[in-house]
Amino acid sequence: MMIRKTITSLLLLAATVVSASVSQRTLHEGWRFRQGNSEIWHPAQVPGNTHLDLMRERIIEDPFYRLNERSVQWIDKEDWMYETHFQPTAEELAASHQTLVFKGLDTYADVYLNHQRILVADNMHREWRCNVEGILKEGDNLLEVFFKSPVKMNVPKFDALPYRHNTGPDHSQMGGLFDKTISPFARTAGFEYGWDWGPRLVTFGIWRPVLLETWSGTRIADVWYIQKDVTKARAQLRTIVEVEADSAQSATIAITADGKPATTKAVALKPGLNTITLDYTLKNPRLWWTNGLGEPYLTTMKLRLTRLTPDPSLSREGSGHSQSNNRDKKLSTPLSEQRGAGGESSTRLGIRSLRLHNDKDQYGHNLYFELNGEPLYAKGSNMVPNDNFLSRVNDSIYRQVVADAAAVNMNMIRVWGGGIYEDDAFYRYCDEMGILVWQDFMFACQTYEVDSAFLANIKEEAICNVRRLRNHACMAVYAGNNEEQDVWFGWGGKKRYFEELGQADRVWKMQHSIFYEVLPEVVRLYGGGIAYRPSSPWAFEDTPSDGINGDDHYWGVWHGGEPIEAYFDHHVRFQSEYGFQSFPEYESVLRYNPDPRDHDIYSEVMMAHQNAGTYANHRIEEYMGRDYRVPKDFKRFLYVGQVLQADAVKMGMEAFRRDRPFCMGGIVWQLNDCWPVASWSSRDYYGRWKALHYVTRKAYDDILVSPRIKSSSASGDVIATPTKQVAALPTEENAKAMQQQKLHLPSEGADGKLLELKLVNDRRTPATGNLKLQAMTIDGRIVFEQTQKVKLPKNDAIDVQTWRVKDLIGDEMAENVIFYITYETGSKTYYNIAYPVRQKDMHYRKPQLTTAVTPVADGYNVSVSTDIFARAVFLKTKGINDFFADNYFDLLPGQTRTIHVRTSKPRAQFLKELETTTLGDDYETNSIQ
């Protein structure tokens, strides 16, 4: 009797289960747009934006070309209407849940379905979900999106305040708004309003996908993998699953890791949202490592939700079949086998232990990442949005950006706070290629007017993005903003704008509510243990950054006008911004400035693509005049400017790496560009590698040979021995003094100069190798040579030896000698070159370069040889599509280097176009000043 009753109950339970039917489809077809006060419709592209639509219709010219940015400033003063028609399927109409999902609306938008308003959007950084049950209808459906002008929305807010907010480089003058900097009032990417590397192009549009999402029965809404404790022996994981169900039902959740069972749990689902927690342990997991430290292995985690259904044979009462062997047998029907895959989730999870240290020590407070128990030196760059027109940044662009970072030994990218929370593809490629992400929240260089509605909007923005990104192994830390703590406490913003008006306490309370209350709470609740810092740079809650308590943005070199050598004496715990500007290479410039009449860095066209103004051009000329011979020729000026940028930032990279473990990270400003421009980037807008990106590969290698030429007065004339010495680390007091002091260029000639050599090892294992120092003349004659065996501890930097330059070069002129240092360990040789005098004083001559071109599958191998030392050899062809695997390299006398070139050009054309340039080409001509 008991058996029969149980069977009947199971059958009744099975009868209440609604079959899952989950469907998503994009609504990207048939869109059209018009200006708000016009009746003329034009075809539109979704995802996209108004500027691109206007370009396709030839209503405006490309804003990236010549001076065209100026002529499109009217667009953000207008409203814009978008609409499309679509027909739901019978299945979509029958679904019990019907939702329109807008992944991104830029920015102020009213959305109507069949003339009913379903959404008022005011934040481009959020996803918007609209329940359209009862509004979606059979047959034709009209979807309308009405974008409102942010100028019309926010100028009244600016005018209403008795003070003005601190802003970043808001180009309000370019936008025709005079001094009305309205960017702080909109939850729009700050860079759209102009920056010192970007134009003012305030955009509109449906910039991310639009989806019609329908489902019935049961669906997995979210799966969150929390890594509670991970070692190489075991990984303790917690998985939190959100399941939405139409009705009560029994089910089982099963998780596998790389196809092997991990855990199973029986659950009773109630109608509505169900949150289920599963705790389990994986033994001997394959760990995820960053680029250079190991394999960024991703474990395939699959979660399957199945409903419980009785064996049909159990219902055959009186049939004469035996039931005793089947009474406990049940069939599991995977919900994923029903339409829409509503019951299965697959996640590629990088299993790792990642901790951010900010511990007090004898110098202040350190800042470093610990990955799988090993201290990690962060080597990376800051990323801005890859295009002002964000919908153009497709999967292949994201892949190339991350691949280019990995190719030059980066292990971290900082997503800067004036842009966007990037597309899922970016974080996926960072997972796959072992690149950690320092993620700013989208606030930069400004203060904000905060009320309860603004704060609630920010909270939803933060929840949306933290939930979206939390399963990515690459996620390393969230920072509340970029530089806003320093804007307030360190740059006079508090006094200049608010104290004099008696508004300082009130405005700081607004900022505090964002960065010390809402954002850290969201990260705590939804981030799964990812670290949070209120700002970058940041030391303490009520002070500006100081570099020795947390991270630092160092701009003494460049903005401060300090000599490039000042990098060596700037001692900080973590350098999250520093950099040096250059123009794009000549072939890139031709894309937006083809007329030779405009080939002057102060021409109208070049200045339109120098968003930092004449100040930045003067800086480049000033630094170039200090250390290099300044060409009069425009094309060659661009080349020397690239060498200058590369040499300057390389010096910074080496200086901060030499300081480990006191300093444990260097993040260069910047990786990329949003439009063709003179900037601090190592890759230009078109993806062309500048000299800086090429030299980064060696400067960020796992072992660094780092020589430094310095005056003996700076070192107290103490000569180090070849044994390991721990680098002298500054106290908190004298480190502050070092940051403030102005440093001077070393004297010319060899007298009083020292060659100091350090080795840095980022590996997880020690190294032993042969170190060789050679002093050689420009024509290749060896005047000094020394070889020694050096043991290099893991995760460390050591002093090797310091020599008097005069002892190394003897009677040779310093201007005629280079120092070539190699460290050979295993099958690899690391090298670097030091110069006893500044580049402009070196006795370079035009080398006789010979090239041999050999066809290969995807292009050519170009072998380059030289008779004398060739500094910064640059190979190029016409256009921007040929990629050289190495460039701007130094070539020793008699040495041959073979460079792979990826190109589709026929051999005859390639040979005709191939050009070589070196720094010494015009040292004996009149083309210098």
Side-chain angles (χ1 to χ4, degrees):
M1 185 64 169
M2 190 65 186
I3 293 175
R4 182 175 299 173
K5 186 175 181 179
T6 302
I7 293 171
T8 303
S9 298
L10 285 170
L11 288 170
L12 289 172
L13 176 63
T16 65
V17 175
V18 180
S19 297
S21 177
V22 179
S23 172
Q24 274 191 348
R25 67 165 167 131
T26 60
L27 299 179
H28 294 166
E29 304 301 322
W31 285 90
R32 62 178 187 166
F33 82 108
R34 63 174 172 87
Q35 198 170 324
N37 60 1
S38 171
E39 297 180 356
I40 303 173
W41 289 94
H42 303 276
Q45 189 174 98
V46 171
N49 74 35
T50 302
H51 288 75
L52 295 177
D53 290 332
L54 291 169
M55 273 190 274
R56 275 187 292 271
E57 291 300 295
R58 297 182 297 175
I59 297 170
I60 65 170
E61 299 296 325
D62 184 355
F64 289 7
Y65 186 73
R66 297 192 78 247
L67 304 173
N68 289 344
E69 176 197 359
R70 302 175 181 179
S71 65
V72 298
Q73 295 304 314
W74 60 274
I75 296 173
D76 64 13
K77 318 300 186 298
E78 301 295 329
D79 302 326
W80 298 92
M81 173 68 80
Y82 282 72
E83 71 173 31
T84 190
H85 295 259
F86 68 96
Q87 290 190 346
T89 65
E91 292 81 2
E92 289 167 339
L93 288 169
S96 56
H97 300 270
Q98 301 162 351
T99 306
L100 275 176
V101 183
F102 295 89
K103 294 290 187 178
L105 294 172
D106 182 12
T107 290
Y108 296 101
D110 291 352
V111 182
Y112 297 82
L113 178 61
N114 298 326
H115 306 293
Q116 293 191 48
R117 191 168 70 178
I118 60 173
L119 172 65
V120 177
D122 58 356
N123 189 331
M124 78 173 286
H125 301 301
R126 286 178 58 180
E127 174 183 296
W128 302 91
R129 301 179 65 87
C130 309
N131 182 354
V132 294
E133 297 166 30
I135 305 175
L136 193 68
K137 65 180 184 178
E138 186 177 359
D140 182 69
N141 284 254
L142 173 63
L143 178 60
E144 300 169 289
V145 184
F146 181 61
F147 289 100
K148 301 175 184 178
S149 162
V151 174
K152 295 177 184 177
M153 295 288 291
N154 292 317
V155 165
K157 298 176 186 176
F158 180 96
D159 290 339
L161 292 178
Y163 49 81
R164 58 179 296 178
H165 279 281
N166 298 292
T167 59
D170 185 318
H171 296 175
S172 57
Q173 297 282 349
M174 168 67 78
L177 302 181
F178 304 101
D179 65 344
K180 296 187 178 183
T181 50
I182 62 173
S183 54
F185 298 97
R187 290 311 298 147
T188 301
F191 84 113
E192 289 189 1
Y193 291 84
W195 220 266
D196 53 3
W197 37 260
R200 187 186 189 281
L201 294 169
V202 181
T203 58
F204 300 79
I206 306 169
W207 71 287
R208 279 181 168 161
V210 182
L211 306 171
L212 175 60
E213 180 180 282
T214 60
W215 65 277
S216 299
T218 309
R219 75 160 191 151
I220 297 175
D222 187 70
V223 178
W224 177 14
Y225 290 95
I226 301 173
Q227 305 193 40
K228 296 174 60 179
D229 187 26
V230 174
T231 68
K232 65 180 181 181
R234 48 105 184 100
Q236 293 181 358
L237 304 183
R238 170 171 291 169
T239 300
I240 298 177
V241 190
E242 293 180 1
V243 179
E244 290 184 288
D246 276 345
S247 59
Q249 52 194 273
S250 295
T252 299
I253 295 177
I255 298 176
T256 61
D258 284 342
K260 298 178 180 178
T263 189
T264 301
K265 185 173 186 176
V267 295
L269 300 177
K270 66 180 188 302
L273 181 65
N274 299 262
T275 301
I276 302 118
T277 300
L278 299 92
D279 290 301
Y280 53 100
T281 299
L282 302 181
K283 294 182 179 179
N284 303 314
R286 291 179 66 177
L287 300 181
W288 183 91
W289 290 95
T290 54
N291 184 37
L293 288 186
E295 180 187 9
Y297 183 77
L298 298 174
T299 302
T300 300
M301 306 294 296
K302 287 191 175 181
L303 182 145
R304 206 178 199 196
L305 178 66
T306 60
R307 63 178 181 176
L308 301 181
T309 307
D311 189 327
S313 65
L314 299 182
S315 64
R316 299 176 184 174
E317 295 183 58
S319 64
H321 291 280
S322 170
Q323 299 175 1
S324 60
N325 294 330
N326 294 320
R327 63 187 181 188
D328 296 323
K329 186 184 292 184
K330 299 174 183 177
L331 299 180
S332 293
T333 304
L335 296 180
S336 59
E337 292 178 3
Q338 301 165 29
R339 183 178 179 274
E344 188 167 88
S345 167
S346 182
T347 303
R348 299 178 70 205
L349 184 69
I351 297 175
R352 83 288 186 269
S353 168
L354 184 64
R355 179 184 175 194
L356 179 60
H357 287 264
N358 190 201
D359 313 313
K360 184 171 178 54
D361 57 23
Q362 65 267 44
Y363 311 111
H365 286 80
N366 62 26
L367 190 72
Y368 72 94
F369 294 91
E370 179 188 297
L371 177 64
N372 299 326
E374 298 282 354
L376 172 83
Y377 186 94
K379 298 176 287 192
S381 192
N382 288 264
M383 190 176 81
V384 302
N386 287 279
D387 201 309
N388 272 89
F389 304 134
L390 296 165
S391 59
R392 292 200 294 205
V393 186
N394 57 30
D395 188 275
S396 63
I397 290 175
Y398 276 122
R399 190 185 193 288
Q400 194 60 58
V401 170
V402 179
D404 284 353
V408 297
N409 298 309
M410 292 185 188
N411 60 23
M412 179 171 284
I413 293 175
R414 175 176 173 238
V415 177
W416 169 77
I420 59 171
Y421 307 93
E422 299 289 348
D423 187 80
D424 293 341
F426 168 74
Y427 303 95
R428 182 175 72 248
Y429 287 126
C430 286
D431 284 350
E432 293 176 359
M433 300 184 200
I435 305 293
L436 288 171
V437 174
W438 175 307
Q439 177 71 54
D440 286 1
F441 283 99
M442 291 303 117
F443 303 89
C445 301
Q446 299 181 151
T447 49
Y448 297 86
E449 191 69 16
V450 178
D451 58 18
S452 58
F454 189 83
L455 209 59
N457 197 356
I458 287 169
K459 182 176 180 180
E460 290 304 314
E461 168 191 321
I463 291 172
C464 174
N465 287 286
V466 171
R467 281 173 59 96
R468 176 170 68 94
L469 301 178
R470 60 191 178 186
N471 283 335
H472 287 283
C474 64
M475 295 304 294
V477 61
Y478 284 102
N481 62 70
N482 172 76
E483 297 182 344
E484 296 193 11
Q485 187 97 354
D486 278 7
V487 165
W488 185 257
F489 288 110
W491 300 353
K494 174 183 177 183
K495 180 177 180 61
R496 179 169 38 162
Y497 291 125
F498 304 111
E499 278 189 345
E500 296 172 359
L501 297 173
Q503 297 282 352
D505 290 344
R506 176 178 172 273
V507 174
W508 174 244
K509 186 177 180 180
M510 295 180 190
Q511 315 317 303
H512 194 278
S513 67
I514 301 173
F515 306 118
Y516 288 91
E517 298 170 24
V518 169
L519 296 182
E521 182 69 0
V522 168
V523 174
R524 185 185 68 82
L525 291 175
Y526 301 99
I530 297 175
Y532 173 83
R533 294 178 61 76
S535 186
S536 178
W538 187 78
F540 303 109
E541 184 171 343
D542 55 355
T543 68
S545 63
D546 59 22
I548 55 173
N549 292 285
D551 63 319
D552 180 58
H553 291 187
Y554 175 56
W555 289 104
V557 176
W558 183 259
H559 288 302
E562 295 179 2
I564 297 169
E565 293 84 355
Y567 281 128
F568 284 115
D569 295 284
H570 186 74
H571 301 282
V572 296
R573 312 313 299 267
F574 194 106
Q575 195 62 260
S576 48
E577 266 195 36
Y578 68 103
F580 201 96
Q581 206 189 81
S582 76
F583 297 93
E585 67 171 69
Y586 181 69
E587 292 293 330
S588 290
V589 169
L590 290 179
R591 292 291 295 269
Y592 64 89
N593 181 16
D595 193 333
R597 293 174 296 180
D598 296 318
H599 289 179
D600 181 291
I601 64 170
Y602 291 102
S603 72
E604 284 285 334
V605 175
M606 290 301 291
M607 288 307 303
H609 294 259
Q610 169 54 285
N611 294 111
T614 55
Y615 158 83
N617 281 5
H618 293 332
R619 271 284 184 258
I620 293 174
E621 289 180 313
E622 175 189 355
Y623 275 102
M624 192 180 294
R626 289 180 185 179
D627 288 288
Y628 299 82
R629 303 189 181 190
V630 182
K632 297 177 182 177
D633 175 72
F634 174 76
K635 181 177 178 181
R636 185 158 179 84
F637 185 93
L638 300 185
Y639 160 77
V640 176
Q642 294 241 343
V643 177
L644 164 62
Q645 181 197 31
D647 286 351
V649 179
K650 174 177 176 285
M651 190 172 292
M653 291 173 174
E654 293 189 19
F656 300 129
R657 288 189 68 186
R658 289 159 58 104
D659 246 4
R660 69 171 303 171
F662 184 79
C663 176
M664 285 299 289
I667 311 297
V668 174
W669 186 268
Q670 64 202 77
L671 176 62
N672 62 319
D673 283 322
C674 64
W675 85 312
V677 67
S679 80
W680 297 261
S681 69
S682 63
R683 300 167 66 258
D684 70 24
Y685 169 72
Y686 306 108
R688 296 282 286 180
W689 289 21
K690 295 183 179 180
L692 171 56
H693 207 75
Y694 283 105
V695 305
T696 298
R697 181 187 284 127
K698 184 159 65 72
Y700 275 171
D701 215 340
D702 57 349
I703 289 179
L704 172 68
V705 177
S706 181
R708 177 192 177 188
I709 301 291
K710 63 180 184 179
S711 63
S712 58
S713 59
S715 65
D717 286 319
V718 176
I719 308 300
T721 64
T723 58
K724 172 183 173 8
Q725 298 190 359
V726 177
L729 299 179
T731 65
E732 185 167 352
E733 291 75 20
N734 64 32
K736 290 179 179 177
M738 287 179 183
Q739 293 179 55
Q740 300 300 322
Q741 70 182 4
K742 294 289 184 180
L743 302 169
H744 301 286
L745 292 171
S747 59
E748 295 308 311
D751 293 340
K753 287 190 175 181
L754 305 174
L755 172 60
E756 175 193 82
L757 180 63
K758 291 192 175 185
L759 290 178
V760 182
N761 182 14
D762 289 342
R763 295 179 181 179
R764 294 187 284 134
T765 56
T768 300
N770 292 319
L771 179 75
K772 179 187 286 188
L773 165 67
Q774 291 179 316
M776 69 173 66
T777 63
I778 298 299
D779 59 7
R781 184 165 42 87
I782 305 298
V783 297
F784 179 89
E785 184 172 295
Q786 176 180 317
T787 302
Q788 58 183 292
K789 180 169 284 189
V790 177
K791 293 183 178 180
L792 189 52
K794 72 171 188 175
N795 274 321
D796 205 358
I798 64 170
D799 291 316
V800 178
Q801 189 170 351
T802 300
W803 300 265
R804 290 185 175 89
V805 169
K806 190 65 177 175
D807 294 341
L808 300 180
I809 68 174
D811 295 331
E812 291 290 337
M813 296 177 62
E815 296 85 351
N816 197 43
V817 177
I818 64 170
F819 301 114
Y820 181 65
I821 306 113
T822 61
Y823 182 69
E824 184 178 358
T825 177
S827 60
K828 188 169 181 177
T829 299
Y830 302 84
Y831 74 94
N832 212 334
I833 299 175
Y835 306 91
V837 298
R838 292 191 293 251
Q839 290 294 292
K840 71 176 182 179
D841 296 323
M842 291 294 293
H843 284 179
Y844 294 142
R845 305 188 300 280
K846 183 177 178 63
Q848 296 298 315
L849 297 181
T850 58
T851 58
V853 177
T854 305
V856 292
D858 60 347
Y860 304 97
N861 285 337
V862 180
S863 297
V864 188
S865 304
T866 181
D867 58 338
I868 61 175
F869 178 67
R871 175 76 173 97
V873 178
F874 173 48
L875 306 176
K876 69 171 290 291
T877 56
K878 291 186 183 299
I880 63 171
N881 295 324
D882 299 341
F883 175 72
F884 289 76
D886 198 6
N887 226 330
Y888 298 93
F889 52 86
D890 300 327
L891 202 58
L892 298 179
Q895 188 179 33
T896 299
R897 291 278 299 276
T898 299
I899 310 300
H900 176 65
V901 186
R902 192 170 64 242
T903 178
S904 60
K905 290 176 179 174
R907 178 182 173 86
Q909 180 184 356
F910 181 80
L911 289 172
K912 182 180 179 180
E913 293 182 1
L914 183 64
E915 295 180 20
T916 60
T917 303
T918 77
L919 200 60
D921 285 357
D922 60 4
Y923 266 47
E924 298 172 324
T925 71
N926 294 322
S927 62
I928 56 175
Q929 56 186 13

